[in-house]
């Protein structure tokens, strides 16, 4: 049985993992700062920092929506929780970055798990609406609980990243800190995705009844995935708080959740490198199109539409499990050794 | 033509010209404002007014030795975008001062960057009490609610209102509008029955009106913008709520009357800009704006016009070789600037503007000054 | 304890709910058949309102004529939307793609992209502020029923929702088109096997659903006096929530839940504050889903 009847992307030439990682690290920590310093200006560093924050957001959303198949429409809410935790801890208690960052992640993850517990038995679209509701509830709380969050006034003059007395003295140093956090987050997320845990999530995504019949504790898996994803969203929020120095509830509305979802989809649901590329694209593109002025949003919407139309599985879409299996079996019957069943 | 592709191209050309011509005596003022998104109609009005003021300035001789140019960037009234634009402006060495943004949240997000980099920022509408406290680089020429609130409270007290309810939009402006009014009203011996906040975007106020009606105040004070105001006034008429309505200057907008129709009659409001004001400065501005854009300018246009004017006066004071520092110092010295929104002076210590306010009402479908 | 103000609040809530219900009807029809969320429904609603408004300012015809023409505009928009955003994703016929979650999300996101582009385009053309509506057309004349106050708009919207529901019931259960729509809703592959033209049925669904959506748009626009390019976004989300709460494929269920959401909102304003109304509405949603995972009136759906 040939694989030609199944529409799928060709195999990407894969680099040996260690080399790929070293290359990425090189780009992130050396090439980018060098180029940006050369061109000069804090503006580009700011874009780069924002892009990395959204990379973390997209990658974390990819874990729950792409790999586990649970469409989440409230991701911005947890991003907001992380940002507010970091902002409140540092402005009210003078906590350093080393405290606010993990605290933001922990609180966001805890609230995510709490929220996941009652809703995990819901099927796809019901779960999506529940997450939408949760995201909106978080926004409304941030906006109206004025005594605690200062409501629409926002929190200003949030201290910069401060660790054991050291503070970044230039945009490049701030960028390097953010890049390190992003690199570590991506590494953790990729370890989670390329592991038995990740495979189990994919099984749940493709067919949760089957997965359950095979002995996987579906509810437990979903809760852990959701909690982990919210934790990283919180971390991204903490980074936002310390780099922008000002946060307000209107930055964490439903529209932002849709933004992040668009990044994951454009890059390819289920594919971690896809989520990264999608995030980079959708952060850098609006800036590059700034000169187009009033037509920016139309241009972005059209790009989203055409990328979905022409590349429905995303730029680096993860091949569907069924097509991979079919190819594997096909190979087995014809006796030839096939490519290993694995995911990039 | 609403679509300002021309404007975008001009902006791009100016930006290119601005950065390229830094050596030939071109002074660039950056202007961040919402040109797309929900607040785009405000941004357009700012741009129109600023363009008129700059043209007026050039027609009157301009500044010898320097060519002043405006560079507009669209912030969509989004703090994220405002930050990016702020960084963009700060990086451009030919930009010595910045006007904008529209809302306090966007202005404050940008302010953090201007404060760090040392760029003077003058906002025509940011009224958050903390805005000028961020650093010495922030200025604004709009009356804060700390002035308007007590003004309206005194007015209502004079008219015999002892019980009032407040309806305010849940954003930084609405919060300060409501609290300033409520404090002043209570200080005069009045009772505030309740302060009802509503989320931005709400257009259905019947639940709030019904809730207020139960407490039966004599008047309601509205801290909202003209779109919500129009819906509120219509629904008030629908439900037959008897309480009178007073409002802040944010309701001074011709569109309010067009949208609300006869329901708008009887609204009392404060304002610092009156197109019918016989003052020659005001009439000149109104005439020019009407000739070029076909409509009478509203208060927001007047604010932007004055902001641009204050910036130009400061530029002249700082001399043909302007730096960001010298511009900031010149702005801080603004005294009795004859603006269309009233004479403006920046307090030497707090940099808060001191202005004058008038009482107005809507009667027979028109705004008019009242006692 | 039921004093006149509380009763008025309930009436307020019901009229808010009717607005959501009006939009939920068309929305649920499309979702029920295609099993995809049509994020662009809010934009069809908005286009209906603008089309009606342009007609009114140009020719000032009687309200009924406006409604009829808006119905046609709505149908045309719906068909256009379907061709643009949904049909291209039906080109994959193999099983793997049909079952692939990525494909389903793709249609969701393509409708989202189309809605963004449409909204922004309308904003470019008309500006984002509220459009002026000739006073004579506003459906806001108050009507007193005892001590309670409603408007003629409330009655008109109520009447329209009843007419829509009845008409839909008739269409779905008494006509051939309705039969083919129900068949496709039940099983697209199966319907193809028995010779039903699924493309036509899907097109018909979109046409009908969008007709209803566009009419909802113009009626609500005249009722609230608010016609802006972003008017479809918030009611769209509430309609979506109402649909899910009601049990995806049940149109009457969606209507009832929409009414419930409206009343919950006004009661929240009465006892707490207007700012929290969304939170209460969503809390009800989550509570409902936790105790009724299929929605309140949902029939057992094949696993999504």
């Amino acid at each position: 049985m040939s694989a030609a009847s199944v529409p799928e992307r060709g195999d990407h030439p894969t680099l040996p993992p260690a080399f790929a990682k070293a290359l990425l690290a090189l780009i992130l920590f050396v090439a980018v700062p060098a180029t940006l310093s050369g061109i000069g200006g804090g503006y580009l560093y700011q874009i780069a920092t924002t892009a990395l924050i959204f990379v973390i957001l997209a990658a974390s959303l990819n874990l729950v929506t792409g790999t586990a198949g649970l469409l989440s429409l409230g991701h911005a809410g947890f991003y907001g929780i992380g940002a507010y935790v970091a902002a409140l801890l540092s402005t009210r208690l003078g906590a350093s970055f080393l405290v606010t960052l993990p605290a933001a992640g922990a609180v966001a993850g805890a609230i995510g798990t709490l929220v996941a517990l009652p809703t995990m038995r819901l099927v796809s679209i019901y779960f999506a609406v529940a997450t939408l509701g949760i995201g909106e509830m978080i926004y409304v709380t941030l906006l109206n609980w004025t005594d605690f969050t200062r409501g629409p006034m926002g929190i200003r003059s949030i201290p910069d990243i401060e660790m054991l007395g050291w503070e970044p003295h230039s945009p490049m140093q701030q960028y390097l800190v953010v890049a390190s956090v992003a690199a570590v987050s991506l590494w953790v997320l990729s370890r989670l995705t390329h592991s038995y845990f990740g495979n189990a999530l994919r099984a749940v995504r493709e067919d949760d009844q089957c997965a359950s019949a095979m002995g996987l504790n579906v509810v437990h898996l979903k809760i852990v995935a959701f909690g982990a994803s919210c934790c990283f969203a919180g971390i991204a929020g903490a980074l936002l708080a310390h780099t922008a120095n000002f946060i307000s509830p209107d930055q964490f509305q439903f529209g932002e959740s849709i933004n992040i979802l668009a990044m994951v989809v454009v890059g390819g649901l289920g594919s971690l490198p896809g989520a990264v590329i999608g995030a980079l694209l959708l952060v850098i593109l609006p800036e590059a199109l700034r000169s187009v002025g009033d037509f920016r949003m139309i241009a972005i919407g059209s790009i989203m539409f055409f990328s979905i139309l022409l590349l429905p599985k995303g730029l680096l879409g993860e091949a569907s499990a069924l097509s991979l299996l079919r190819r594997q079996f096909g190979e087995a019957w014809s006796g030839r050794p096939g490519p290993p069943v694995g995911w990039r | 033509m609403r679509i300002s592709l021309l404007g975008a191209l001009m902006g791009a050309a100016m930006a290119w010209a601005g950065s390229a011509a830094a050596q030939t005596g071109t002074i660039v003022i950056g202007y961040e404002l919402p040109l797309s998104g929900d607040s785009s109609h405000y941004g357009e009005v700012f741009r129109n007014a600023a363009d008129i003021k700059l043209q007026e300035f050039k027609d009157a001789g301009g500044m010898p030795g320097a060519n002043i140019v405006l560079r507009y960037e669209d912030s969509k009234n989004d703090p994220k975008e405002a930050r990016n634009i702020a960084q963009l402006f700060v990086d451009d060495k030919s930009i010595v001062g910045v006007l904008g943004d529209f809302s306090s949240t966007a202005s404050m997000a940008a302010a953090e960057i201007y404060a760090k980099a040392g760029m003077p920022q003058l906002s025509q509408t940011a009224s958050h009490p903390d805005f000028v406290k961020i650093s010495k680089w922030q200025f604004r020429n709009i009356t804060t609610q700390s002035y308007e609130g007590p003004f309206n409270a005194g007015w209502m007290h004079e008219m015999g209102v002892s019980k009032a309810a407040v309806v305010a939009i849940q954003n930084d402006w609405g919060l300060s509008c409501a609290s300033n009014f409520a404090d002043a009203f209570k200080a005069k011996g009045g009772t505030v029955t309740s302060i009802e906040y509503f989320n931005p975007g709400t257009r259905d106020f019947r639940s709030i009106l019904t809730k207020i009606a139960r407490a039966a105040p004599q008047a309601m004070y509205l801290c909202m913008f003209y779109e919500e105001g129009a819906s509120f006034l219509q629904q008030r008429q629908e439900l037959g709520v008897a309480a009178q309505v007073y409002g802040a200057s944010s309701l001074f907008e011709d569109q309010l009357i067009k949208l609300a129709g006869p329901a708008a009659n009887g609204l009392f409001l404060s304002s610092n800009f009156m197109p019918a004001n016989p003052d020659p400065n005001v009439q000149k501005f109104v005439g020019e704006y009407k000739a070029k854009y076909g409509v009478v300018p509203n208060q927001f246009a007047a604010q932007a016009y004055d902001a641009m004017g204050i910036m130009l006066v400061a530029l002249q004071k700082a001399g043909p070789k302007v730096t960001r520092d010298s511009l900031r110092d010149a702005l801080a010295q603004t005294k009795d600037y004859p603006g269309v929104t009233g004479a403006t002076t920046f307090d030497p210590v707090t940099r808060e503007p001191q202005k004058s306010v008038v009482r107005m009402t809507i009667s027979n479908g028109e705004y008019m000054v009242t006692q | 304890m039921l004093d006149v103000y509380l009763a008025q609040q309930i009436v307020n809530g019901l009229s808010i709910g009717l607005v959501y219900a009006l939009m939920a009807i068309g929305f649920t029809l499309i979702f029920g058949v295609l099993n995809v969320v049509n994020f662009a429904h809010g934009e069809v609603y908005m286009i209906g309102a603008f089309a009606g408004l342009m007609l009114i300012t140009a020719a000032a015809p009687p309200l009924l004529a406006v409604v009829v023409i808006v119905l046609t505009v709505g149908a045309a928009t719906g068909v256009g939307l379907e061709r643009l955003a949904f049909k291209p994703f039906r080109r994959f016929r193999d099983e793997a793609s049909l079952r692939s979650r990525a494909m389903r999300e793709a249609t969701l996101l393509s409708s989202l992209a189309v809605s963004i582009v449409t909204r922004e385009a309308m904003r470019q053309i008309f500006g984002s502020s509220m459009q002026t509506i000739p006073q004579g057309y506003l459906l806001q004349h108050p009507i007193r029923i005892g001590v309670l106050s409603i408007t003629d708009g409330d009655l008109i919207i109520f009447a329209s929702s009843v007419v829509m529901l009845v008409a839909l019931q008739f269409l779905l259960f008494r006509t051939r088109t309705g039969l083919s729509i129900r068949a496709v809703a039940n099983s697209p592959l199966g319907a193809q096997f028995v010779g039903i033209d699924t493309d036509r049925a899907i097109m018909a669904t979109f046409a009908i659903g969008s007709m209803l959506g566009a009419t909802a748009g113009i009626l609500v626009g005249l009722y609230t006096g608010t016609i802006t390019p972003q008017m479809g976004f918030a009611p769209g989300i509430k309609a979506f929530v109402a649909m899910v709460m009601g049990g995806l494929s049940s149109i009457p269920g969606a209507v009832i839940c929409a009414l419930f959401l409206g009343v919950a909102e006004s009661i929240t304003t009465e006892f707490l504050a207007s700012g929290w109304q969304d939170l209460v509405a969503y809390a009800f949603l989550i509570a409902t889903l936790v105790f009724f995972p299929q929605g309140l009136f949902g029939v057992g759906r094949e696993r999504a």
Side-chain angles (χ1 to χ4, degrees):
Chain A
M1 132 163 229
S2 78
S5 60
V6 176
E8 59 175 90
R9 315 201 64 73
D11 263 274
H12 304 278
T14 35
L15 303 163
F19 180 73
K21 288 202 185 97
L23 190 64
L24 276 172
L26 198 73
I27 295 178
L28 195 63
F29 290 102
V30 178
V32 171
T35 345
L36 294 186
S37 299
I39 302 179
Y43 172 66
L44 290 172
Y45 270 116
Q46 186 152 303
I47 306 292
T49 313
T50 312
L52 285 177
I53 293 178
F54 276 96
V55 160
I56 301 179
L57 280 171
S60 58
L61 184 63
N62 178 59
L63 179 68
V64 74
T65 299
T67 315
L70 301 167
L71 180 61
S72 167
L73 296 172
H75 211 60
F78 298 99
Y79 177 41
I81 289 179
Y84 267 86
V85 165
L88 288 170
L89 279 178
S90 54
T91 49
R92 299 246 178 110
L93 298 177
S96 97
F97 185 64
L98 290 173
V99 171
T100 60
L101 188 71
V107 171
I111 296 184
T113 318
L114 216 68
V115 147
L117 285 168
T119 53
M120 257 332 148
R121 295 182 195 275
L122 297 175
V123 187
S124 65
I125 192 74
Y126 295 106
F127 179 73
V129 176
T131 54
L132 186 146
I134 289 162
E136 286 293 290
M137 279 163 75
I138 294 175
Y139 165 68
V140 165
T141 313
L142 288 175
L143 185 66
N144 285 293
W145 196 3
T146 336
D147 295 332
F148 185 56
T149 65
R150 287 174 43 102
M153 310 276 260
I155 302 183
R156 67 170 177 93
S157 301
I158 304 171
D160 280 341
I161 298 174
E162 183 254 312
M163 298 189 283
L164 301 172
W166 176 85
E167 268 187 25
H169 293 293
S170 74
M172 179 172 83
Q173 291 182 346
Q174 191 182 68
Y175 165 80
L176 286 174
V177 175
V178 172
S180 328
V181 176
V184 171
S185 313
L186 280 178
W187 182 79
V188 172
L189 283 169
S190 98
R191 287 284 91 227
L192 279 174
T193 348
H194 300 289
S195 64
Y196 284 123
F197 179 69
N199 284 354
L201 287 181
R202 284 186 196 88
V204 166
R205 172 187 74 195
E206 293 297 331
D207 196 327
D208 53 346
Q209 270 188 358
C210 274
S212 175
M214 294 281 289
L216 294 172
N217 187 342
V218 170
V219 174
H220 181 78
L221 280 168
K222 285 184 183 178
I223 294 177
V224 171
F226 194 75
S229 144
C230 293
C231 172
F232 283 104
I235 287 178
L239 287 175
L240 175 76
H242 289 292
T243 50
N245 312 107
F246 174 73
I247 55 173
S248 56
D250 52 347
Q251 295 172 302
F252 307 111
Q253 287 181 292
F254 177 59
E256 194 77 317
S257 296
I258 295 294
N259 252 356
I260 305 172
L261 183 64
M263 292 173 193
V264 176
V265 170
V266 164
L269 273 175
S271 150
L272 192 63
V276 170
I277 304 239
L280 290 174
L281 207 64
L282 287 183
V283 168
I284 295 175
L285 216 55
E287 288 303 317
L289 292 176
R290 187 172 283 286
S291 48
V292 179
D294 294 343
F295 291 99
R296 225 159 37 130
M297 283 314 285
I298 296 185
I300 294 172
S302 317
I303 288 173
M304 212 167 102
F305 177 68
F306 283 112
S307 69
I308 293 167
L309 184 67
L310 302 171
L311 301 166
K313 291 202 188 133
L315 290 167
L316 292 175
E318 204 187 56
S320 146
L322 276 174
S323 67
L324 263 171
L325 274 170
R326 193 169 286 153
R327 203 160 34 118
Q328 184 68 3
F329 281 176
E331 236 74 53
W333 266 317
S334 63
R336 276 177 292 123
V341 177
W343 286 273
R344 283 171 291 288
Chain B
M1 199 168 140
R2 195 172 263 304
I3 299 176
S4 45
L5 186 57
L6 188 62
L9 283 174
M10 266 175 67
M14 271 198 269
W16 177 80
S19 48
Q23 298 87 358
T24 62
T26 303
I27 298 177
V28 184
I29 298 289
Y31 203 146
E32 55 169 290
L33 70 176
L35 292 172
S36 69
D38 289 336
S39 310
S40 57
H41 47 279
Y42 291 106
E44 275 169 31
V45 153
F46 295 153
R47 183 166 54 181
N48 294 347
D51 281 341
I52 286 188
K53 185 64 183 176
L54 188 60
Q55 193 55 49
E56 219 182 82
F57 181 74
K58 290 200 172 139
D59 291 342
M63 187 154 129
N67 176 29
I68 300 180
V69 161
L70 273 170
R71 176 177 167 182
Y72 295 104
E73 287 292 346
D74 177 13
S75 71
K76 291 159 68 193
N77 207 32
D78 179 354
K80 252 186 7 227
E81 300 284 328
R83 275 180 58 220
N84 290 342
I85 294 176
Q87 197 61 57
L88 201 59
F89 283 166
V90 159
D91 288 346
D92 183 348
K93 294 289 171 251
S94 61
I95 295 184
V96 288
V98 169
L99 289 164
D101 207 307
F102 170 55
S103 72
S104 294
T105 35
S107 309
M108 285 171 69
E112 300 280 353
I113 293 183
Y114 293 130
K116 262 192 210 158
M119 167 86 88
Q121 176 191 16
L122 171 59
S123 170
Q124 72 284 320
T125 44
S127 58
H128 192 297
D130 288 350
F131 176 64
V132 286
K133 295 192 191 134
I134 291 182
S135 79
K136 63 174 188 171
W137 299 91
Q138 271 64 49
F139 298 88
R140 53 150 157 246
N141 71 322
I142 186 165
T143 34
T144 53
Q145 290 306 311
S146 57
Y147 191 82
E148 234 184 309
F151 178 83
N152 282 320
W155 184 9
M156 282 165 78
H157 181 78
E158 225 175 279
M159 304 301 267
V161 176
S162 56
K163 264 171 81 173
V166 182
V167 184
I169 187 170
Q170 180 76 290
N171 67 17
D172 52 278
W173 177 85
L175 254 75
S176 72
C177 175
S179 63
N180 278 302
F181 170 79
D183 292 341
F185 194 66
K186 280 186 253 188
K188 293 213 175 330
T191 337
V192 175
T193 58
S194 65
I195 304 182
E196 298 297 328
Y197 292 106
F198 61 90
N199 289 342
T202 307
R203 290 283 179 273
D204 192 306
F205 297 98
R206 283 168 301 167
S207 311
I208 292 180
L209 279 162
T210 311
K211 184 176 178 187
I212 289 179
R214 176 178 280 163
Q218 291 137 331
M220 297 186 282
Y221 186 60
L222 304 184
C223 297
M224 54 179 77
F225 294 93
Y226 78 91
E227 291 191 328
E228 295 94 53
S231 301
F232 188 87
L233 291 169
Q234 276 174 329
Q235 285 154 20
R236 166 178 165 263
Q237 195 178 56
E238 268 173 45
L239 289 174
V241 177
Q244 286 184 314
V245 260
Y246 287 77
S249 54
S250 52
L251 288 175
F252 181 46
E253 176 76 59
D254 273 335
Q255 266 302 94
L256 177 75
I257 299 182
K258 288 211 192 87
L259 290 171
N265 289 327
L267 171 72
F268 294 106
L269 66 160
S270 55
S271 169
N272 52 20
F273 173 66
M274 248 294 290
N277 188 342
D279 184 303
N281 280 335
V282 177
Q283 287 311 307
K284 180 168 173 212
F285 169 55
V286 172
E288 278 175 353
Y289 197 94
K290 207 163 169 189
K292 196 161 177 200
Y293 300 109
V295 289
V296 173
N298 64 17
Q299 179 182 242
F300 292 97
Q303 286 289 141
Y305 183 77
D306 277 351
M308 186 73 216
I310 293 174
M311 186 65 88
L312 286 169
V313 163
L315 277 169
Q316 276 184 312
K317 200 182 273 180
K321 287 243 167 287
V322 186
T323 65
R324 293 174 184 177
D325 277 297
S326 65
L327 181 60
R328 189 221 81 89
D329 291 335
L331 276 172
Q333 289 163 15
T334 304
K335 194 169 158 70
D336 289 327
Y337 170 76
V340 296
T341 57
T344 310
T345 303
F346 288 150
D347 181 295
V349 175
T350 63
R351 280 165 289 114
E352 291 282 17
Q354 284 138 11
K355 308 174 69 121
S356 48
V357 174
V358 292
R359 297 178 182 178
M360 301 185 56
T361 185
I362 299 182
S363 134
N364 287 329
E366 281 196 17
Y367 284 100
M368 47 185 61
V369 183
T370 184
Q371 288 316 312
Chain C
M1 233 283 290
L2 193 77
D3 67 350
V4 68
Y5 296 106
L6 194 59
Q8 179 68 47
Q9 288 288 33
I10 296 181
V11 168
N12 292 338
L14 286 174
S15 57
I16 297 173
L18 270 176
V19 167
Y20 299 147
L22 211 59
M23 198 189 204
I25 294 175
F27 197 74
T28 313
L29 180 67
I30 296 179
F31 185 86
V33 171
L34 283 191
N35 203 26
V36 286
V37 181
N38 175 17
F39 260 112
H41 194 72
E43 270 51 53
V44 172
Y45 169 92
M46 180 263 291
I47 287 179
F50 270 93
L53 182 66
M54 289 203 287
L55 185 66
I56 289 174
T57 37
L63 189 63
L64 209 56
V66 176
V67 171
V68 168
I69 297 192
V70 166
L71 280 171
T72 16
V73 169
T77 318
V79 172
L81 174 68
E82 194 268 327
R83 293 282 105 177
L84 184 67
F86 291 89
K87 174 130 172 51
F89 297 94
R90 292 207 297 277
R91 68 179 186 265
F92 300 114
R93 293 261 171 233
D94 63 298
E95 199 192 328
S97 294
L98 282 176
R99 285 189 61 103
S100 158
R101 192 148 299 206
M103 300 307 285
R104 199 112 40 80
E105 257 88 33
T107 46
L108 189 151
L109 280 141
S110 87
S111 67
L112 181 68
V114 167
S115 86
I116 292 176
V117 174
T118 318
R119 194 162 55 235
E120 288 302 317
M122 292 295 272
R123 222 180 237 165
Q124 285 298 317
I125 303 174
F126 290 99
S128 61
S129 36
M130 276 162 68
Q131 300 292 320
T132 328
I133 303 172
Q135 289 290 318
Y137 281 91
L138 283 172
L139 302 171
Q140 292 177 343
H141 304 112
I143 300 177
R144 296 243 179 283
I145 302 183
V147 289
L148 299 175
S149 171
I150 58 173
T151 61
D152 56 346
D154 284 313
L155 294 175
I156 293 181
I157 290 184
F158 178 69
S160 323
S161 20
V162 169
V163 165
M164 279 186 196
L165 281 173
V166 168
L168 262 183
Q169 283 296 103
F170 180 80
L171 182 82
L172 284 177
F173 291 96
R174 297 287 164 103
T175 63
R176 284 203 77 83
T177 325
L179 187 63
S180 57
I181 290 176
R182 278 187 296 135
V184 170
N186 191 295
S187 164
L189 273 178
Q192 275 186 316
F193 287 150
V194 290
I196 294 179
D197 186 338
T198 41
D199 263 3
R200 291 265 301 271
I202 293 176
M203 216 158 56
T205 318
F206 263 93
I208 298 168
S210 305
M211 266 164 66
L212 301 178
T215 319
I218 185 65
L219 287 176
V220 174
L222 293 177
Y223 168 64
T224 56
T226 310
I227 295 187
T228 65
Q230 53 269 17
M231 68 187 281
F233 189 69
I237 298 185
K238 294 285 168 56
F240 184 37
V241 169
M243 176 181 81
V244 172
M245 228 168 116
L248 298 172
S249 37
S250 160
I251 294 178
V255 169
I256 294 176
C257 289
L259 290 173
F260 181 72
L261 279 178
V263 174
E265 279 184 18
S266 67
I267 297 294
T268 312
T269 308
E270 172 70 23
F271 291 110
L272 288 174
S274 159
W276 297 102
Q277 52 186 45
D278 280 353
L279 187 131
V280 171
Y282 289 119
F284 271 117
L285 166 75
I286 299 201
T288 313
L289 286 179
V290 169
F291 294 111
F292 300 93
Q294 302 274 37
L296 284 171
F297 305 96
V299 283
R301 242 180 121 76
E302 188 181 303
R303 279 180 315 111

